[in-house]
């Protein structure tokens, strides 16, 4: 829902005017909305299906295996693996085993810290999911901000977070 969203594809000679440059009446007419009654629930559902949810696309999640392997993808780790190889070749097996154990322990601890941090961030995102008060069918409704569609009339109070652009 960018500020130049149009509900119909512009023709060859049409210019798209951003919503913030329009009058309230022009924006309402362009989105086929009503300031006093808002959208009809069926129309809002149709627009949600057409335009999709009002949310940013989430980055692809990193798999646990990739997260674990990334703990060993560092220049100093590779230097230490080289030291393990040299120690093993020279017959210093206890040193090679000790360095390997430290590298594995470091990688496992780093993985668990990163994994738990990612889980905590996901939980925070769920807890702070924004909501919006909109007019639908002539009544104010509290809905998830992700369900906003072009043409919704959003009611804002002091200190409200703006739920859409």
């Amino acid at each position: 829902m960018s500020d130049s969203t149009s509900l119909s594809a512009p023709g060859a000679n049409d210019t798209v005017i951003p919503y913030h440059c329009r009058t309230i009446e022009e924006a309402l007419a362009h989105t086929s909305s009503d300031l006093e009654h808002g959208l009809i629930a069926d129309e809002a559902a149709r627009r949600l299906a057409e335009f999709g949810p009002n949310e940013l696309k989430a980055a692809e999640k990193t798999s646990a295996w990739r997260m674990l392997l990334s703990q060993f993808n560092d220049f100093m780790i590779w230097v230490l693996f080289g030291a393990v190889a040299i120690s093993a070749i020279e017959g210093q097996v206890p040193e090679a085993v000790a360095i390997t154990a430290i590298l594995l322990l470091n990688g496992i601890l780093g993985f668990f810290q990163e994994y738990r941090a990612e889980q905590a961030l996901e939980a925070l995102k769920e807890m702070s999911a924004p909501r919006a008060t909109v007019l639908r069918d002539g009544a104010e409704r509290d809905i998830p901000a992700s369900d906003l569609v072009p043409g919704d009339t959003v009611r804002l109070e002091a200190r409200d977070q703006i739920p859409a652009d």
Side-chain angles (χ1 to χ4, degrees), residues 1 7-8 12 14-15 21 29 44 57-58 61-62 74 78 100 102 105 111 131 135-136:
M1 292 188 344
L7 292 177
S8 58
D14 291 342
T15 57
C21 294
K57 297 209 184 307
K61 289 187 177 184
T62 306
D74 182 69
W78 288 105
T100 302
I102 291 169
L105 184 61
F111 164 75
R131 301 197 57 83
L135 276 178
R136 294 258 173 99

Side-chain angles (χ1 to χ4, degrees), residues 6-95:
S6 76
L7 292 177
S8 58
N13 296 330
D14 291 342
T15 57
V16 178
I17 301 170
Y19 287 116
H20 70 275
C21 294
R22 298 173 189 232
T23 65
I24 292 173
E25 292 77 20
E26 290 172 336
L28 289 170
H30 190 261
T31 58
S32 302
S33 187
D34 183 308
L35 187 60
E36 298 300 319
H37 298 96
L39 291 175
I40 300 169
D42 292 339
E43 177 62 17
R46 184 193 70 74
R47 290 181 186 188
L48 184 60
E50 179 181 347
F51 295 107
N54 175 43
E55 57 190 19
L56 297 173
K57 297 209 184 307
E60 189 174 313
K61 289 187 177 184
T62 306
S63 71
W65 284 107
R66 283 186 185 256
M67 203 181 299
L68 177 63
L69 291 177
S70 74
Q71 298 299 316
F72 299 101
N73 194 16
D74 182 69
F75 177 73
M76 287 307 298
I77 301 296
W78 288 105
V79 168
L80 289 171
F81 276 128
V84 167
I86 292 170
S87 295
I89 290 170
E90 290 182 354
Q92 300 172 347
V93 177
E95 287 84 357

